[in-house]
Amino acid sequence: MTTRSPAPRRSAAWSRVFDTATRLFYAEGVHAVGVDRIIAEAGVAKATFYHHFPSKDDLVRAYVTEQSLRQRGIADVPASATPREALLTAFERMCTFGSEPSYRGCPFINVAAEYPDPAHPVRRAVDEHREWCRGLFRDLLAADGHPDPERTAHTLMLLRDGLAVGFDLDDPATVRTAVHEAVTRILDAPTRPPDPAHP
């Protein structure tokens, strides 16, 4: 149901820096982790770091972009599955990720909280992922014959954001049950035409 580009070829040094930054950024936050620490833990020279990433923000943007690419298969299902089943699979996989002991919240929400300027390149990378996710929901809804895929995709995005926070703060089993019920209700709810007085 989704299309993913092949991963680009990268040097061993690039991978060491990136993998180290990914681990630290997700566990501790972006601004809390300095370049010198990444260089030390990755075991590379400072010149090597800046050869691959001219600034820390370039590294953070690469981190966000890579996180997005890793999620591109979230709705992958067998060819015989329906678009509805793909949507349910996507949310089930989000729940599985949220239930893991290592879960520290949604990486996109976490990064967005540290980059409040909507014009910043890092924040734009977050927005690009969100547009992809919203588009995935919209396209699957449309393929399933939903009467209002655009509006319902926005509703599913709100649910996605809510579960991302819920798994961080509440009991995972309770959140998982609530998410399954909410997705089913959203997909089955009758859709009314939008009120022109309240767009």
Side-chain angles (χ1 to χ4, degrees), residues 26 94 97-107 163-168:
Y26 186 66
M94 290 182 217
F97 175 56
S99 299
E100 293 175 355
S102 59
Y103 183 69
R104 296 293 180 271
C106 168
L163 77 86
V165 176
F167 274 109
D168 198 31

Side-chain angles (χ1 to χ4, degrees), residues 23-177:
R23 172 175 54 82
L24 294 174
F25 287 165
Y26 186 66
E28 301 181 25
V30 171
H31 292 330
V33 178
V35 168
D36 288 344
R37 182 178 174 193
I38 295 170
I39 289 171
E41 295 199 20
V44 299
K46 183 171 290 190
T48 301
F49 175 94
Y50 285 109
H51 169 73
H52 292 293
F53 303 101
S55 72
K56 182 182 175 182
D57 282 348
D58 290 317
L59 175 57
V60 178
R61 181 176 172 84
Y63 163 69
V64 172
T65 300
E66 184 70 16
Q67 291 296 312
S68 181
L69 290 174
R70 290 177 181 179
Q71 292 197 15
R72 297 299 166 115
I74 195 169
D76 281 356
V77 291
S80 59
T82 65
R84 178 190 177 98
E85 289 170 335
L87 277 167
L88 292 171
T89 295
F91 276 91
E92 177 59 28
R93 287 172 177 162
M94 290 182 217
C95 289
T96 298
F97 175 56
S99 299
E100 293 175 355
S102 59
Y103 183 69
R104 296 293 180 271
C106 168
F108 306 99
I109 293 175
N110 293 348
V111 169
E114 298 197 59
Y115 287 84
D117 180 3
H120 194 284
V122 170
R123 182 61 178 271
R124 289 203 302 269
V126 173
D127 292 343
E128 287 165 9
H129 173 76
R130 291 179 62 78
E131 283 303 313
W132 167 81
C133 191
R134 189 178 292 108
L136 172 67
F137 294 160
R138 182 189 61 241
D139 292 347
L140 288 171
L141 288 163
D144 200 47
H146 194 281
D148 194 353
E150 187 73 37
R151 184 175 295 238
T152 306
H154 284 283
T155 304
L156 289 175
M157 279 298 292
L158 288 174
L159 177 60
R160 174 237 177 262
D161 292 344
L163 77 86
V165 176
F167 274 109
D168 198 31
L169 302 177
D170 299 321
D171 174 59
T174 301
V175 175
R176 192 174 205 138
T177 299

